[in-house]
Amino acid sequence: MQKKIKVIPLEIVLRNTAYGSLCKETTIKPGALLSKPLIDIYLKNDELNDPLITKDRIELMNILSSHDLELIINLTLKINVILKSFFKNIQLQLVDFKLEFGYDFKNNIILGDEISPDNCRLWDLNQKNDIIVSLDKDRFRNDLGGLIEAYSEIHRRINDFLKLNW
Ligand code: UDP
């Protein structure tokens, strides 16, 4: 069901495994498992190129109260627990993902946007050696080819899982 929301101009990224910009901007090695989920928050602003932003700056800009920011962070952590175990069931490692939130007409905070391989990194756990096989938008971003095949494989695994478990 689609609901109209007033979008909060923040991108909430949760990382379970180090990859992408985290490894470009720090000395953390790609593929390192993080001891606890890391939340990185970005300001949605094309002119500024969606910069990484701090909690204090979010408050300073009056984007969100600290209460609502905590609420969003806690929701993101809960969503991670559900998604991580869902994807593990279908042999996929949930590396990281991006969420967006908004206010509905009653001023409740709700999840906006989609959850898909366009905004999640999903690695195939069916590999025998340690090579990374991305079944997500990185196939397009890194010019690896096989994007449709990768998304179709995820679709197939989800369908097979739902047939057996629902
Ligand atoms: N992501 C997204 N939209 C963006 C930037 C990132 O959906 O505009 C997702 C991306 O798919 C990944 C996660 O957020 O699952 C973390 O991405 P990262 O910050 O590492 O940026 P990247 O290196 O992909 O540019």
Side-chain angles (χ1 to χ4, degrees):
M1 188 177 68
Q2 285 197 341
K3 275 191 188 174
K4 221 176 176 162
I5 56 166
K6 186 169 155 266
V7 175
I8 297 165
L10 297 175
E11 295 188 341
I12 317 294
V13 168
L14 184 145
R15 303 175 192 274
N16 294 306
T17 301
Y19 210 66
S21 61
L22 175 64
C23 302
K24 289 180 194 138
E25 293 162 2
T26 70
T27 55
I28 302 168
K29 297 270 176 294
L33 290 177
L34 306 182
S35 55
K36 60 175 185 160
L38 172 72
I39 303 255
D40 279 338
I41 305 179
Y42 298 85
L43 178 68
K44 263 168 80 83
N45 185 310
D46 288 341
E47 273 171 40
L48 298 176
N49 223 0
D50 298 349
L52 187 62
I53 191 167
T54 63
K55 289 183 186 182
D56 287 346
R57 287 188 185 189
I58 291 170
E59 269 189 68
L60 193 65
M61 292 174 73
N62 283 322
I63 295 176
L64 212 57
S65 66
S66 60
H67 171 271
D68 284 0
L69 183 59
E70 281 313 308
L71 203 149
I72 283 176
I73 290 172
N74 286 331
L75 279 172
T76 305
L77 291 168
K78 282 184 188 157
I79 290 168
N80 181 48
V81 172
I82 296 165
L83 287 183
K84 223 169 102 169
S85 107
F86 176 76
F87 284 122
K88 199 164 174 224
N89 281 324
I90 55 170
Q91 278 70 56
L92 291 171
Q93 179 177 342
L94 179 61
V95 172
D96 55 29
F97 59 89
K98 184 261 302 177
L99 298 179
E100 294 184 26
F101 293 88
Y103 291 98
D104 70 6
F105 72 103
K106 285 184 182 159
N107 240 18
N108 294 316
I109 289 184
I110 59 169
L111 182 64
D113 206 12
E114 63 183 51
I115 297 177
S116 81
D118 274 0
N119 48 27
C120 298
R121 283 199 171 96
L122 296 164
W123 292 352
D124 193 3
L125 287 170
N126 283 342
Q127 300 300 316
K128 288 204 176 65
N129 39 26
D130 267 355
I131 56 161
I132 293 169
V133 173
S134 303
L135 296 178
D136 55 58
K137 201 177 174 182
D138 275 354
R139 301 211 68 84
F140 168 76
R141 292 191 191 105
N142 303 333
D143 231 349
L144 299 170
L147 183 78
I148 305 286
E149 291 79 0
Y151 282 32
S152 303
E153 174 63 15
I154 294 178
H155 187 233
R156 185 191 65 73
R157 289 190 199 182
I158 292 176
N159 274 344
D160 288 353
F161 178 78
L162 293 180
K163 263 188 233 155
L164 283 175
N165 295 284
W166 279 49

